[in-house]
Amino acid sequence: MALVMIFISGVVFALGLGVSGMTQPEKVTSFLNIAGNWDPSLALVMLGATVTYLIGHILILRRPAPALAKTFTLPSRRDIDRPLVIGSALFGVGWGLVGFCPGPALVALVTGYESVIIFVLAMGVGMYAFEVLDLRFAKEPDGGAGLIVKS
Amino acid sequence: MTEFTPVSALVGGFLLGAAALSLLFFNGRVAGISGIFGGFLGFKRGDTLWRSVFIAGLLVGGAMLTAFYPDALQFEMKHSASTVMLAGLLVGIGSRMGSGCTSGHGICGIGRVSPRSLVAVATFMATGIAAAVAVDLIFGGRI
């Protein structure tokens, strides 16, 4: 049952990306390219998503535990460190170059486009390379976000 | 050049928030795609199944878009294969080093008002804008 809900969350997430226009890389670069013919759509995507999440997560975290799991697994760190800033900066450059971030790129795999496949393969290599170099697999399950178990 | 689409942007944004909330409500997890996919690539025992199920959901969602809303996946990548490869590498390394991407930091992190996520989003927005503007102004939109 828990897996069914994870699957449905993934499906709805992909539909959200598609409906919002995020699966069209040009839509993303038209938002980021403020010097061109600016398309502010992505700002409204973020607004709709964050306000929904902000309200919903407050209500959900009042519960002692998730409906189908024993505990909440949430990032707990609040410190601003160098990897956070440098990593985000590198991520932004890649994102702005072609207009793809991980979610939309994975969803767009269904097009079978060569460039999407190249992007996802390179992304996977990048993620894997970082993990291997950083040896984080051994330490933290979610990329060093710092996990706390809320009980 | 794309058109401003406020209604579909808000509706799509709401769906993204709802999907992330459902993962939190039922499974207690943060919907960070780079974290889920990166962790999947780690193939840690007992931690891979739920990640692959979520990724399968993304792909099935993509197939549904192709069937019912094909415009969503109607696009052209004008960039050279080497640019796409470089961008993919940067997105992969950067999202793991920075502990998240547009979903984990952008949706869930901002939604939780996490200081780390606010810094991450401000940073990748700034460098994303710089990259997109540079591609347009210096390279004429195609590199």
Side-chain angles (χ1 to χ4, degrees), chain A residues 2 9 23-24 26-27 30 33 37 39 41 49-50 54 57 67-68 73 77 79 81 87-89 92 101 106 115 123 131 137, chain B residues 1-3 5 13 22 25-28 42 57 59 72 77 79 84 88 94 96 98 102 106 111 116 120 124 127-128 136:
Chain A
S9 302
T23 45
Q24 297 156 271
E26 216 188 340
K27 195 98 180 134
S30 296
N33 179 16
N37 203 341
D39 176 358
S41 306
T50 51
L54 178 74
H57 98 283
L68 300 173
T73 311
R77 280 178 60 181
D79 61 307
D81 62 347
S88 299
C101 48
L106 288 171
S115 42
M123 180 175 87
E131 301 295 347
F137 279 152
Chain B
M1 276 349 112
T2 52
E3 299 276 320
T5 48
S22 126
F25 178 78
F26 290 106
N27 312 99
L59 296 174
M77 294 270 275
H79 306 295
V84 173
R96 296 304 274 157
T102 24
R116 277 173 65 82
F124 66 61
T127 57
D136 185 33

Side-chain angles (χ1 to χ4, degrees), chain A residues 17-31 39 42 98-100 104-105 108, chain B residues 1-3 5 8 69-77:
Chain A
L17 289 172
V19 169
S20 64
M22 295 273 291
T23 45
Q24 297 156 271
E26 216 188 340
K27 195 98 180 134
V28 176
T29 50
S30 296
F31 170 76
D39 176 358
L42 206 151
V98 298
F100 261 145
Chain B
M1 276 349 112
T2 52
E3 299 276 320
T5 48
S8 57
Y69 186 47
D71 283 0
L73 289 162
Q74 207 72 254
F75 62 85
E76 201 189 347
M77 294 270 275

Side-chain angles (χ1 to χ4, degrees), chain B residues 47-110:
Chain B
D47 192 46
T48 306
L49 181 63
W50 79 270
R51 296 171 192 274
S52 22
V53 167
F54 185 84
I55 294 163
L58 288 180
L59 296 174
V60 169
M64 286 167 69
L65 287 169
T66 315
F68 303 112
Y69 186 47
D71 283 0
L73 289 162
Q74 207 72 254
F75 62 85
E76 201 189 347
M77 294 270 275
K78 297 173 293 188
H79 306 295
S80 69
S82 46
T83 304
V84 173
M85 208 179 286
L86 174 68
L89 276 173
L90 287 170
V91 165
I93 295 171
S95 61
R96 296 304 274 157
M97 188 187 291
S99 312
C101 59
T102 24
S103 50
H105 282 314
I107 299 172
C108 304
I110 297 276

Side-chain angles (χ1 to χ4, degrees), chain A:
Chain A
M1 192 59 202
L3 288 174
V4 173
M5 291 320 297
I6 288 175
F7 179 77
I8 292 174
S9 302
V11 171
V12 176
F13 200 88
L15 296 180
L17 289 172
V19 169
S20 64
M22 295 273 291
T23 45
Q24 297 156 271
E26 216 188 340
K27 195 98 180 134
V28 176
T29 50
S30 296
F31 170 76
L32 293 173
N33 179 16
I34 49 174
N37 203 341
W38 192 50
D39 176 358
S41 306
L42 206 151
L44 292 184
V45 178
M46 294 241 345
L47 184 76
T50 51
V51 169
T52 305
Y53 197 83
L54 178 74
I55 298 168
H57 98 283
I58 295 173
L59 300 173
I60 291 171
L61 292 183
R62 283 185 187 160
R63 299 169 53 92
L68 300 173
K70 286 196 193 79
T71 49
F72 287 104
T73 311
L74 301 167
S76 64
R77 280 178 60 181
R78 298 178 71 82
D79 61 307
I80 312 298
D81 62 347
R82 236 182 336 189
L84 176 79
V85 177
I86 296 172
S88 299
L90 295 175
F91 167 78
V93 173
W95 186 44
L97 272 179
V98 298
F100 261 145
C101 48
L106 288 171
V107 174
L109 273 179
V110 299
T111 61
Y113 293 164
E114 199 181 324
S115 42
V116 180
I117 296 169
I118 293 173
F119 183 91
V120 172
L121 284 176
M123 180 175 87
V125 169
M127 287 177 166
Y128 197 75
F130 178 75
E131 301 295 347
V132 170
L133 293 174
D134 210 57
L135 296 173
R136 287 208 180 181
F137 279 152
K139 287 188 289 179
E140 294 182 82
D142 268 300
L147 295 177
I148 189 168
V149 174
K150 184 179 180 288
S151 54

